[in-house]
Amino acid sequence: MEKLNKYEIAIVGAGPAGATAAVYLKKFGYNVCLIEKKAFPRETLCGEFLSNEVIEILKDLNLFDAFLCMSPNPLKLVKFINQRGLLLSSSLGFTAYGLRRGKFDNFLLSEARSIGVKIIQPAEVIDITRQDNGNYIMTVLANNGLDRFSLISDLVICAIGKQSVLDKKLNRQFTKKKSFLNGIKFHIPEDYMPEFPKNEIHIYSSPGIYCGVNSVDSNLNTVCFLENRKMFSGSSRDHLKYLIKENKAFACLFHPSIGEYINTSPIYGIGNIYFGRKELSLNGILMIGDAAGVIAPLAGDGIAMAMQSAKIISEIIKDHSLTEIDNISISYQLNWKRNFSKRKKVARLVQKTIMSSYFNTPIIIISRIFPSFFDIIIKNTREHSFR
């Protein structure tokens, strides 16, 4: 019989949620294994906005000073400009940061490795089964699928992102639904956006599409947008050009040669992003980060939500025996909903409003008459409470 490597806790996925959970749980004294299917550093879809919630967790893990050494770009103001040029502006109320996702993820993973977390990478978990004794056995493929082996653990945490092959293997219900919403990210050098203010986040919209822009490190700007595929077909590169054409304020950000750059620039994206409910626990397997629920990128800050969910589950596990999987699961679901349910609902409402040509102009007019209205919206898309 094959001898299985045994860990107390196995975490699948080494993005911000998985790496943060690994660091917390290792510091709490657990034997932790972290399995990631891609080699780092790598880029992935993300608005690359790191909010005050992220900074508080980095400080809690004594990582903030090291984080600053990566030269993240400070952000303090958010502006929304619709296709008619109407503008809303609000202070974030804190200093946020912009940093490339590949760089940030590698930073967190390096910390996990440095404190003794077992890292298996690149390797993909293709199956997870719960045994009669309560343990979990995971089937893992490594070396581009050439090596196949198994791991056993007392508890499994999945941080597998917005969607994964493993979601279908686990028969998660959301995989059967179609959202027709695609997320797309470009990194555009500042030379192509010479007038963009570095300390601001801008949101631009046109019917069926909205786009966030902020500066990150290395003299780059992140341009990240959500598109409704019921309204658009064809290339996402063409959709970015469409937004430049339809939103004059957005067009003013760019050098005239931007079209040529868009044609050849690397593009990072994912299709069929599902913003509805997802199972938080499935047969005792705990879901964190985007695997637990995706928040609308306009207002959400998915990185904060990912890291917060990692902290919540880690502290719950610390307070229980690993044999109390059902109690851990119940406590996690209650705490997750208390921390994120309202925030997700507000973010989805804002998303639908911004993507609608009918609603977003009246909202701007109301906010101009009552300036605190926009501030209240922004405040309700943040979440500062923890378990």
Side-chain angles (χ1 to χ4, degrees), residues 195-208:
E195 303 301 322
F196 185 74
K198 290 179 68 70
N199 69 339
E200 297 181 1
I201 304 165
H202 287 193
I203 308 294
Y204 296 90
S205 76
S206 193

Side-chain angles (χ1 to χ4, degrees), residues 269-283:
I270 189 170
N272 197 41
I273 302 176
Y274 180 70
F275 292 102
R277 292 183 181 180
K278 295 182 177 182
E279 302 95 339
L280 299 175
S281 177
L282 196 65
N283 197 24

Side-chain angles (χ1 to χ4, degrees), residues 284-334:
I285 300 169
L286 303 163
M287 307 293 172
I288 62 174
D290 285 341
V294 180
I295 192 164
L298 170 70
D301 184 12
I303 295 178
M305 189 169 164
M307 295 177 72
Q308 286 177 306
S309 65
K311 181 178 181 181
I312 290 168
I313 192 59
S314 299
E315 292 184 341
I316 291 171
I317 290 170
K318 182 183 66 172
D319 292 342
H320 291 79
S321 165
L322 293 180
T323 61
E324 299 178 281
I325 292 176
D326 292 340
N327 290 335
I328 290 172
S329 176
I330 291 169
S331 181
Y332 173 59
Q333 292 180 68
L334 290 173

Side-chain angles (χ1 to χ4, degrees), residues 329-343:
S329 176
I330 291 169
S331 181
Y332 173 59
Q333 292 180 68
L334 290 173
N335 278 276
W336 192 97
K337 290 174 182 177
R338 188 176 73 226
N339 278 274
F340 302 122
S341 289
K342 178 183 176 182
R343 182 176 173 182

Side-chain angles (χ1 to χ4, degrees), residues 123-370:
E124 183 174 9
V125 176
I126 60 170
D127 192 27
I128 304 173
T129 58
R130 189 174 184 180
Q131 306 299 294
D132 291 340
N133 64 2
N135 288 336
Y136 293 87
I137 293 182
M138 289 167 289
T139 304
V140 184
L141 297 180
N143 296 326
N144 295 319
L146 296 177
D147 293 338
R148 185 185 184 103
F149 58 93
S150 297
L151 300 174
I152 187 169
S153 67
D154 297 313
L155 187 146
V156 176
I157 298 172
C158 275
I160 51 180
K162 296 176 179 64
Q163 58 184 4
S164 166
V165 173
L166 191 56
D167 287 316
K168 292 186 177 180
K169 183 69 177 180
L170 295 173
N171 197 29
R172 301 188 72 191
Q173 293 303 303
F174 81 90
T175 62
K176 302 171 184 178
K177 300 177 181 179
K178 298 293 184 182
S179 72
F180 300 99
L181 296 174
N182 288 359
I184 307 295
K185 181 182 81 173
F186 289 86
H187 280 148
I188 298 182
E190 290 180 356
D191 288 348
Y192 287 93
M193 304 178 68
E195 303 301 322
F196 185 74
K198 290 179 68 70
N199 69 339
E200 297 181 1
I201 304 165
H202 287 193
I203 308 294
Y204 296 90
S205 76
S206 193
I209 186 171
Y210 69 79
C211 180
V213 184
N214 61 265
S215 295
V216 290
D217 58 294
S218 304
N219 298 316
L220 292 173
N221 291 323
T222 297
V223 176
C224 189
F225 63 91
L226 191 73
E227 59 183 13
N228 186 337
R229 278 285 172 167
K230 288 184 177 180
M231 299 179 64
F232 296 101
S233 60
S235 166
S236 294
R237 298 180 191 275
D238 290 337
H239 301 163
L240 180 56
K241 295 177 188 177
Y242 162 82
L243 183 59
I244 292 173
K245 178 181 177 181
E246 293 295 315
N247 191 308
K248 293 181 180 179
F250 188 55
C252 288
L253 296 180
F254 298 99
H255 188 275
S257 63
I258 187 60
E260 297 175 9
Y261 181 81
I262 292 172
N263 288 338
T264 58
S265 171
I267 184 172
Y268 311 96
I270 189 170
N272 197 41
I273 302 176
Y274 180 70
F275 292 102
R277 292 183 181 180
K278 295 182 177 182
E279 302 95 339
L280 299 175
S281 177
L282 196 65
N283 197 24
I285 300 169
L286 303 163
M287 307 293 172
I288 62 174
D290 285 341
V294 180
I295 192 164
L298 170 70
D301 184 12
I303 295 178
M305 189 169 164
M307 295 177 72
Q308 286 177 306
S309 65
K311 181 178 181 181
I312 290 168
I313 192 59
S314 299
E315 292 184 341
I316 291 171
I317 290 170
K318 182 183 66 172
D319 292 342
H320 291 79
S321 165
L322 293 180
T323 61
E324 299 178 281
I325 292 176
D326 292 340
N327 290 335
I328 290 172
S329 176
I330 291 169
S331 181
Y332 173 59
Q333 292 180 68
L334 290 173
N335 278 276
W336 192 97
K337 290 174 182 177
R338 188 176 73 226
N339 278 274
F340 302 122
S341 289
K342 178 183 176 182
R343 182 176 173 182
K344 283 191 82 239
K345 288 177 182 177
V346 173
R348 285 197 73 192
L349 177 61
V350 174
Q351 171 186 294
K352 289 181 178 180
T353 300
I354 296 305
M355 295 188 82
S356 166
S357 60
Y358 179 77
F359 285 108
N360 61 30
T361 295
I363 290 292
I364 289 180
I365 293 173
I366 291 170
S367 297
R368 283 183 163 181
I369 297 172
F370 304 101

